[in-house]
Amino acid sequence: MATVEYAGSSYGVDEDGFLTNGMEEWNESWVDYVKAEEGITDMTDEHWKVINALQDYYKKNGIAPMVRILSKTTGFPLKRIYELFPSGPGKGACKMSGLPKPTGCV
Amino acid sequence: MAIPKVEQLRVNVAHEPNMFTGAIPKADWQDTFTEFKEGNFAYPAKPEMVDYHGFPNSRVWSPDEEDWKLPDNWETIILQGLKDRLGKFRSLKLYMDICVRCGACADKCHFFLGTGDPKNMPVLRAELLRSVYRNEFSVGRKILGKMMGNRPMTANVLKEWFMYSYQCTECRRCSVFCPYGIDTAEVTMMMRELLHLVGVGINWILEPAANSNRTGNHMGLQPHTFKENISYLVDDIKEITGVDVHPTFNRKGAEVLFITPSADVFAEPGIFTFMGYLLMFEHIGLDYTLSTYASEGGNFGLFTNNEMMKKLNAKMYAEAKRLGVKWLLGGECGHMWRVLHQYMDTMNGPADFLEVPKSPVTGTVFKNAASTKMIHISEFTADLIKHKKLKLDPSRNAHRVPTFHDSCNPARAMGLLDEPRYILDAVVPTWHEMNENTIREKTFCCGSGTGLNTGEIMELRMRSGLPRANAVQEVNEKYGVNCLANVCAIDRATLQPLMEYWLPNTSDDPMRTTDVDVIGLSELVGNALVMDGEIENREQGLRFEELITADTEG
């Protein structure tokens, strides 16, 4: 497994750069690290709203939410989520929040 | 890894035949070695997934490293594994012995067409195993030896097995053309099984299989999540149509247990297909239940080994028994039907505790499912349409000009060829067939089946999906086809990026990503249904898209 060193923290990551141990290892520096990679210049309250919604949902369900649910809980239409996270809710936003990638027929 | 631009790949497929060596191989195939590099292999299974399944040799490793960290006696394990299977599966022995290398299969494989790699000719892919089989087990092997192309089991052979058994989607198009009827998918299945004996497998298969075993479905949806997702879809149906639909969960004594791939309750565009099911069941007042335990139609065991396939399949029947339903109805899944039609009966059947499926609406008895007691939603729907039990307004799908992609397994493994077409005739104003060599039994795979629908091999997927995309492009140009209907969840997940790549959006609408939307057949059914108590002059389709009404037509 690869390791990422950033701002004094060390993170284990998988092949796609997702945190191997998910939210256990997650902290705000991780967000800072991923944002550059995702082409996000400044984190806004809107970004944080998505991250918080993803993490809250994951704690209850052990999986990322359907995009529809994310849209409803944040009040952002899908278009806005893609503007916030250019690589999409499943990749950029989940990676930044410390959630794993969904698997199966998706 | 970045995928080449579409123009680049198009030229490359035609002029630079081998994706992996970048040239036409000059040496004998046995002297041409596999080269693993980023983008041409799926990620190996994580150690915790290997352990979860109780498979041996869990470790961190990567195919592009020289040392695969195999157990010391790995050759013995593989050869013993092959010997055991030759004794157990008559089909394997037969398929090892009867191939005459006529080559009829060679150019029928979408992986060969898309990569130009000779080892993707089904005959040669199977030869990767046959050459070892002959060397170890055939009569006269000592006399003819290498002249017959026999070879010992080496690390390079093992690496070839891994490369090419995961460049086969077990779609079985080649088998249609084989004069001996060799089922090449079964050869691939055996290679994958053998590789698991030494801890060589991919994560995109073992993780969904683990999820399915633990939570009931590939996605890993727990019961409360499964239920909540569906409640969102129920709300959307209410908003779009004004109709309340009433799914139930784990309800004992229901007549029918309905099982579909879990992607249908999680991801677009499958969720729209699911909304179609819900509307139709409400329309006919079906006494059905969903299960949060048997919450997966798909069976990644089929892509792993026969024991896991059997175990995951048994879950459906255990739940049917627990709930006391009469029979099973299955949703739009592809490989689930291969398991159901060709393996279930000998693995877990006959399901004597169930009744032969009988439509409560039309009285039709589905004798074709006399032993498995499970029928496909398209069989069920086509029968309803034939008996005029559905009130349909095809003009609600006037914005859709579909073509139909026969999903490999329903088409070739269960012969579901005419029912989907019969349904399409009834639910859309017009639709068009693709080239006759690319449909029905001869359908081309989406290119990403058997658990190959993972992101890291996107270039490979775009290549292997090219024959399918090519046929879609033809009807898009000829007839203005703007929608690709299908009956499989892997199709819905994988045809979407395939269309986005080969047929990108050329319209003015910036929200569209492709000229051809991928759509489950039941979405078209649901969208066309005229429901009791629905909103007058409904304006939106199941994706909240605007419908063409008398007004908008002007």
Side-chain angles (χ1 to χ4, degrees), chain B residues 364-377:
Chain B
T364 299
V365 178
F366 293 88
K367 291 184 189 149
N368 54 313
S371 189
T372 63
K373 315 290 198 294
M374 183 163 197
I375 61 167
H376 190 288
I377 185 82

Side-chain angles (χ1 to χ4, degrees), chain B residues 69-130:
Chain B
K69 303 176 190 169
L70 300 171
D72 290 339
N73 60 339
W74 71 267
E75 291 100 332
T76 316
I77 298 173
I78 292 276
L79 293 177
Q80 184 60 44
L82 181 54
K83 190 178 178 193
D84 294 345
R85 281 160 184 76
L86 286 164
K88 189 172 174 189
F89 303 115
R90 200 169 42 177
S91 56
L92 176 62
K93 176 90 171 68
L94 192 67
Y95 300 151
M96 289 295 102
D97 283 333
I98 63 173
C99 175
V100 293
R101 300 167 178 154
C102 72
C105 59
D107 59 353
K108 308 305 186 292
C109 173
H110 53 292
F111 273 99
F112 176 62
L113 294 174
T115 63
D117 187 335
K119 286 179 189 167
N120 272 326
M121 294 188 289
V123 56
L124 190 43
R125 189 184 294 107
E127 188 69 18
L128 304 178
L129 179 59
R130 279 194 192 107

Side-chain angles (χ1 to χ4, degrees), chain B residues 497-519:
Chain B
L498 189 73
M499 292 298 106
E500 288 169 0
Y501 185 77
W502 290 110
L503 287 110
N505 177 30
T506 56
S507 76
D508 299 332
D509 184 350
M511 285 307 285
R512 288 181 62 88
T513 51
T514 165
D515 284 345
V516 181
D517 290 321
V518 175
I519 195 164

Side-chain angles (χ1 to χ4, degrees), chain B residues 431-494:
Chain B
W431 68 280
H432 302 275
E433 289 279 16
M434 287 180 273
N435 183 293
E436 63 175 335
N437 291 313
T438 73
I439 56 168
R440 301 176 72 93
E441 295 93 338
K442 295 183 217 164
T443 186
F444 268 116
C445 181
C446 64
S448 308
T450 59
L452 301 186
N453 51 319
T454 182
E456 64 270 20
I457 49 170
M458 198 51 101
E459 179 180 339
L460 186 60
R461 291 170 51 189
M462 297 300 102
R463 284 170 175 270
S464 60
L466 174 59
R468 171 39 80 222
N470 218 12
V472 177
Q473 187 174 348
E474 188 186 15
V475 286
N476 167 262
E477 287 168 1
K478 256 192 192 164
Y479 310 113
V481 160
N482 64 10
C483 153
L484 183 54
N486 62 76
V487 285
C488 166
I490 291 185
D491 277 334
R492 286 189 282 280
T494 65

Side-chain angles (χ1 to χ4, degrees), chain A residues 1 14-16 20 57-58 60-69 72-73 78-79 91 100-106, chain B residues 43 60 204 207-208 211 218-219 221-222 224-225 228-229 232 236 263 265-268 271-272 453 489-490 493 511 544:
Chain A
M1 291 291 150
D14 71 8
E15 297 94 334
D16 288 317
T20 315
Y57 187 91
Y58 188 82
K60 286 179 205 140
N61 298 280
I63 183 176
M66 284 206 285
V67 176
R68 254 185 157 62
I69 294 184
K72 283 193 179 167
T73 47
L78 184 59
K79 188 165 172 269
K91 291 202 183 103
K101 268 184 311 182
T103 59
C105 304
V106 290
Chain B
Y43 297 145
V60 176
W204 197 257
E207 187 164 334
N211 284 344
H218 293 153
M219 307 296 312
L221 298 163
Q222 296 172 46
H224 62 292
T225 318
E228 190 192 47
N229 282 8
Y232 270 85
D236 284 351
V265 298
F266 184 82
E268 295 181 11
I271 52 173
F272 309 121
N453 51 319
I490 291 185
M511 285 307 285
F544 289 97

Side-chain angles (χ1 to χ4, degrees), chain B residues 269-283:
Chain B
I271 52 173
F272 309 121
T273 313
F274 197 87
M275 288 159 77
Y277 307 141
L278 291 175
L279 278 162
M280 191 179 84
F281 298 158
E282 191 72 26
H283 191 83

Side-chain angles (χ1 to χ4, degrees), chain B residues 8-33:
Chain B
Q8 199 184 336
L9 190 54
R10 207 187 287 277
V11 171
N12 186 280
V13 166
H15 297 286
E16 291 175 33
N18 194 325
M19 177 189 180
F20 303 110
T21 61
I24 297 167
K26 302 254 187 332
D28 185 88
W29 70 270
Q30 292 197 4
D31 299 324
T32 306
F33 300 116

